[in-house]
Amino acid sequence: MLYRNFGKTNEVVSALGFGCMRLPIIGSDPTNIDEGKAITMIRHAIDAGVNYVDTAYPYHGTGFTSGGASELFVAKALKDGYRERVKLATKLPSWLIKTRADMDKYLNEQLERLETDRIDFYLIHNLNKSVWPILKEADISGFLDQAIKDGRIGYAGFSFHDQTALFKEIVDYYDWSFCQIQYNYLDEEFQAGKEGLKYAAEKGLGIVIMEPLRGGNLVRLPEEAKVIIDQAEVKRTPAEWALRWIWNHPEVSVVLSGMTTIDHVTENIKVAQEAEINSLTSEEIAIVGEIKRVFKERTKVNCTACSYCMPCPIGINIPTCFATYNDYWIFDGTPEAKQRYDILSKFAAPASKCVGCGNCESHCPQGIAIRDELKNVNALFE
């Protein structure tokens, strides 16, 4: 396992981090984590050298107003001595914060849920233009200073979903130790993007990357892209190409992978053991650029399947609707997309049932006009 210095902290972290947002579940209930499989996966990763474990208050929940099952699961997975072998990261639910007292309330609740007296890396979750002014008014700086001083957290950071200008403002506002941004070869100019990546690195922050595979979308390639990578001298899977592209950046500290099977864990560990900084050749970087071109030309909805838009009060499975819609265009009008949509409509409300409430859009990190895009899904498939 390769390790990297974590910004201006004194910590050394594994290049691969275990993200606990997309753990395997039983059935369709996101709170029903398959604990047997998931514990095997996370402990296998730790045994192989992964020492960064990431979760958050709402992960594997049914909404954003209460805690999900992920933090509770992580507490179980890190028993038997595994807690002492990792750096634990979780996040303050920024959208629930109105006062300074709220911050202490949720942090203390998370310490109990995680069955620990210290969170090594504590992030302010999903900073954007809506929550940032409220957090400043509620004295986020004073809260973080106190939590570090009393030992409840080790280092303070934030995760981000907005524009580059706001990202730079937030970086400069507080003495952060690290940040977490969305970054992959399709998202070089999206949200914080490459400009934000370099800015944070120049300020000495450790940088954690989320959505390295775009919710799994970069694993499935259209035929035109498959032909491109088949011509490469070194043969790699689509996942390996995407991960190596990120680890090629010297600014990156940790890449979070939301692994859902033991095979994912095994492959990601193998890549993390070999992916050195600046190890891709100019020809290989050009290959990734060609794959990017193919995706950009074909993708219609910029969805990463993070499921922040869920649950829909009408029962529409929004991420699956968009994944199926994108598949239709990416894979040359494949009839399988229509078949999958028909099956989906038997178990969830179809896109045509959208009532335009907008609850989904208020939580979407990608800023997707979900209601308009659901109309497009409806027009194509229904």
Side-chain angles (χ1 to χ4, degrees):
M1 178 66 62
L2 295 177
Y3 296 89
R4 300 189 176 183
N5 293 325
F6 201 40
K8 55 190 172 185
T9 75
N10 294 319
E11 306 294 342
V12 175
V13 294
S14 54
L16 174 65
F18 200 111
C20 295
M21 187 175 80
R22 294 187 174 101
L23 298 166
I25 61 174
I26 299 172
S28 59
D29 180 0
T31 68
N32 191 14
I33 297 171
D34 190 330
E35 293 188 354
K37 288 183 180 179
I39 288 175
T40 297
M41 289 165 52
I42 197 168
R43 292 187 176 182
H44 175 65
I46 295 170
D47 289 339
V50 171
N51 71 353
Y52 191 102
V53 176
D54 171 270
T55 182
Y57 188 71
Y59 289 176
H60 280 277
T62 56
F64 283 79
T65 58
S66 60
S70 181
E71 287 181 330
L72 300 173
F73 160 78
V74 168
K76 294 180 182 178
L78 296 184
K79 291 185 183 299
D80 304 322
Y82 280 88
R83 172 67 184 92
E84 291 72 31
R85 298 169 60 183
V86 301
K87 303 299 180 183
L88 177 60
T90 194
K91 310 174 187 75
L92 178 76
S94 62
W95 55 92
L96 297 178
I97 302 302
K98 299 293 182 278
T99 67
R100 166 69 183 273
D102 290 339
M103 302 178 198
D104 287 300
K105 168 192 168 184
Y106 285 106
L107 171 56
N108 292 336
E109 180 184 345
Q110 289 175 287
L111 288 167
E112 291 181 7
R113 286 162 55 82
L114 288 161
E115 299 181 35
T116 188
D117 58 2
R118 172 187 168 95
I119 295 167
D120 302 296
F121 299 121
Y122 196 57
L123 300 92
I124 312 304
H125 200 174
N126 192 19
L127 288 190
N128 56 60
K129 63 185 177 183
S130 297
V131 302
W132 181 235
I134 298 171
L135 291 168
K136 288 192 293 184
E137 181 67 24
D139 190 23
I140 187 65
S141 297
F143 162 71
L144 292 171
D145 287 344
Q146 182 60 46
I148 292 171
K149 182 178 179 180
D150 63 32
R152 287 179 294 168
I153 69 174
Y155 300 96
F158 66 93
S159 68
F160 183 81
H161 290 288
D162 212 306
Q163 301 303 310
T164 309
L166 178 62
F167 178 77
K168 291 181 177 180
E169 175 191 329
I170 293 171
V171 167
D172 293 338
Y173 184 82
Y174 181 75
D175 186 23
W176 308 100
S177 296
F178 68 109
C179 65
Q180 182 172 311
I181 63 172
Q182 177 171 323
Y183 197 64
N184 53 66
Y185 64 70
L186 288 187
D187 291 330
E188 280 191 278
E189 310 303 327
F190 184 62
Q191 295 182 3
K194 187 174 184 177
E195 184 178 348
L197 175 77
K198 291 187 174 296
Y199 189 81
E202 289 169 359
K203 297 289 184 175
L205 274 66
I207 300 174
V208 180
I209 300 301
M210 56 183 157
E211 301 290 359
L213 301 180
R214 259 295 193 88
N217 291 329
L218 302 186
V219 173
R220 298 176 300 117
L221 301 182
E223 288 302 320
E224 185 180 350
K226 290 179 182 177
V227 171
I228 293 170
I229 67 169
D230 285 345
Q231 294 173 349
E233 183 176 344
V234 179
K235 305 305 177 186
R236 300 184 177 114
T237 66
E240 183 173 358
W241 277 104
L243 292 171
R244 280 181 174 270
W245 183 87
I246 297 172
W247 276 317
N248 201 56
H249 292 70
E251 301 88 354
V252 172
S253 307
V254 181
V255 174
L256 286 180
S257 182
M259 298 168 276
T260 57
T261 70
I262 193 67
D263 289 341
H264 293 165
V265 178
T266 301
E267 178 179 16
N268 288 0
I269 288 171
K270 179 180 181 297
V271 179
Q273 290 171 335
E274 303 170 354
E276 297 278 2
I277 293 170
N278 294 324
S279 61
L280 292 182
T281 66
S282 58
E283 290 80 8
E284 289 171 329
I285 292 173
I287 286 171
V288 176
E290 281 298 294
I291 298 171
K292 175 181 178 178
R293 176 190 60 78
V294 173
F295 266 110
K296 286 286 189 181
E297 289 175 352
R298 296 170 177 239
T299 299
K300 299 295 184 181
V301 185
N302 192 41
C303 176
T304 68
C306 70
S307 295
Y308 280 29
C309 58
M310 299 293 284
C312 167
I314 305 303
I316 300 170
N317 189 323
I318 298 169
T320 305
C321 280
F322 289 160
T324 308
Y325 182 70
N326 279 335
D327 280 357
Y328 178 87
W329 297 106
I330 291 171
F331 300 107
D332 300 311
T334 172
E336 286 80 8
K338 178 64 166 66
Q339 294 167 7
R340 288 202 306 275
Y341 185 81
D342 290 341
I343 294 171
L344 170 66
S345 298
K346 295 178 182 179
F347 298 95
S352 58
K353 296 297 182 182
C354 174
V355 297
C357 68
N359 289 348
C360 50
E361 293 182 9
S362 66
H363 291 293
C364 178
Q366 316 305 325
I368 298 170
I370 294 175
R371 289 170 288 185
D372 290 340
E373 294 297 353
L374 286 175
K375 291 177 183 177
N376 293 332
V377 175
N378 173 31
L380 177 65
F381 290 134
E382 297 183 55

